[in-house]
Amino acid sequence: MQEWHQFLQSSSNAVIEDSKVIHFVDPTGKLHASKDTIICDLSHLGLLELDGADAFTFLQGQVTNDIKQLSGNNAHYTGYCNPKGRLLALFLAFSHYNHIHLQMPKELVESIAKRLRMYVMRSKVVITDVSESIIKIGLCGNDAATLLSTLFPAVPLTDYELANSENGALIKLPGKAPRYEIFTNPSYAKVVWNALKEHAKPVGALAWELLEIQVGIPDVILKTQEEFVPQMLNLDALNAINYKKGCYTGQEIVARTHYLGKVKRRTQLAHLDTAAAPLVGDDITDTNKQTIGKIVRSAQAIEGGYDVLAESRLENIEEGIYWNGLKLSIKPLPYPLDEA
C-alpha cells in the first residue's frame, strides 16, 4: 500500500493522512474533460478474502444475508452480529473466482478476521487480509460507464451487478449518478488511475463518504460496534437480511424484531446546518435532551453544513431530533422503510 500511496502522491499530488487520501492538490489548475465525474482512492476500506472448500457454508452461518446467492456476478450487503444480534460489522460481500470478499472499514479488519477464525474450527476455510494487495478505486459520474469500457471488457449496468475480468472486478453501486467500485492489482491500478484521472476529478475519501450517505448506506466502525441491531440501520430495506436462510449468529434477535413487532428505531438521512463536524457515534437527543440515538455516518455537504445518517427512535422524528442542540433537517431516503 505504501507503493500505491507514493504513486498517488507523485502522479496526482495526493495528501494522505493515516492511510487515507484527504484531498488532491492541483497546482496547474487543470480543467478536467468531465467535470461531473470523480475518481477516489478507497484505501481506507479493508478487504478480507475467504477461500477454501467450506468458505460459503462457513460464512452462511455467520452473517445476516444469504451468501449462497453470491454467484460471481453480483454483490450484496450483509451484517455480522454478536450473539445478542448487535452489529459488529457491515460487509459489502461478493465472490470473485470462487473466493469470497468482505469489504469493511480498514480499522475493523484485524478484529473481524480474528473473530471469524475463532469459529472456523475444522472447516476448510482460509481467511486472509488482502487490503494491501487489492487496490480499490471509486468512480462516479455520468461518463463513468463509458470511461470504464476502455479499461475493462464488461461494465455492469444494474446496481450491485459485478463484472469479473483478468484485471479485476467492477461493481456498480447505487447513486444518483452512475457509481462504480474497481478492484484490481497494484500494477493495473496505476494504468486505471492514469487513464481515468484525465477525464475525472480526483477527490478525497470524504467525497465518497458523502455519496454513501446520500444513498442511505450505513456503516459500522469501532466506535459503533454493538450499538445497533440490523433493522436499526435499515439493513432489511437494503436487502441485507435474508429471513429464510437459516441460522446464523444473532439470528434469533434479528428474526424476532422482524416477526414479532414494528421496528421502532430507524436510520434517517438528514442535514445539519453547522460548521462543526458531527462525529460518528455522537448522541442524538430529543426535545428534552434525552439520548435517543447515534450519528451513523457524517460528511461535509457540498452546499455547506453536514449530511448525516442518524439512527433514532421513530416516535421522536415528527417532534424533532437534535445533535448538540441543533435540529436535524430530515431528508427523504432513496428507498422505502417498511414500518408494518
Side-chain angles (χ1 to χ4, degrees), residues 82 84-89 219-230 232-233 265 280-283 291 293-296 311:
N82 68 11
K84 295 182 179 180
R86 295 272 167 167
L87 283 164
L88 297 167
D219 208 355
V220 175
I221 64 171
L222 283 174
K223 192 175 181 180
T224 56
Q225 281 185 317
E226 301 183 291
E227 289 285 350
F228 313 110
V229 298
M232 291 180 187
L233 297 188
R265 307 180 68 95
V280 175
D282 283 356
D283 287 339
T291 298
K294 299 283 185 183
I295 294 287
V296 176
E311 182 273 339

Side-chain angles (χ1 to χ4, degrees), residues 252-325:
E252 183 179 353
I253 304 300
V254 178
R256 184 186 304 160
T257 303
H258 173 68
Y259 289 113
L260 296 185
K262 182 177 179 180
V263 178
K264 297 180 181 179
R265 307 180 68 95
R266 286 293 193 180
T267 294
Q268 307 291 333
L269 173 60
H271 181 77
L272 277 163
D273 187 12
T274 176
L279 301 179
V280 175
D282 283 356
D283 287 339
I284 295 297
T285 60
D286 61 13
T287 53
N288 297 317
K289 298 185 179 181
Q290 298 297 308
T291 298
I292 56 168
K294 299 283 185 183
I295 294 287
V296 176
R297 297 188 90 154
S298 172
Q300 193 168 19
I302 294 173
E303 69 275 14
Y306 284 80
D307 282 351
V308 300
L309 292 176
E311 182 273 339
S312 73
R313 292 201 303 252
L314 285 169
E315 64 186 82
N316 297 101
I317 298 298
E318 186 173 347
E319 189 176 45
I321 59 176
Y322 299 82
W323 169 82
N324 277 7

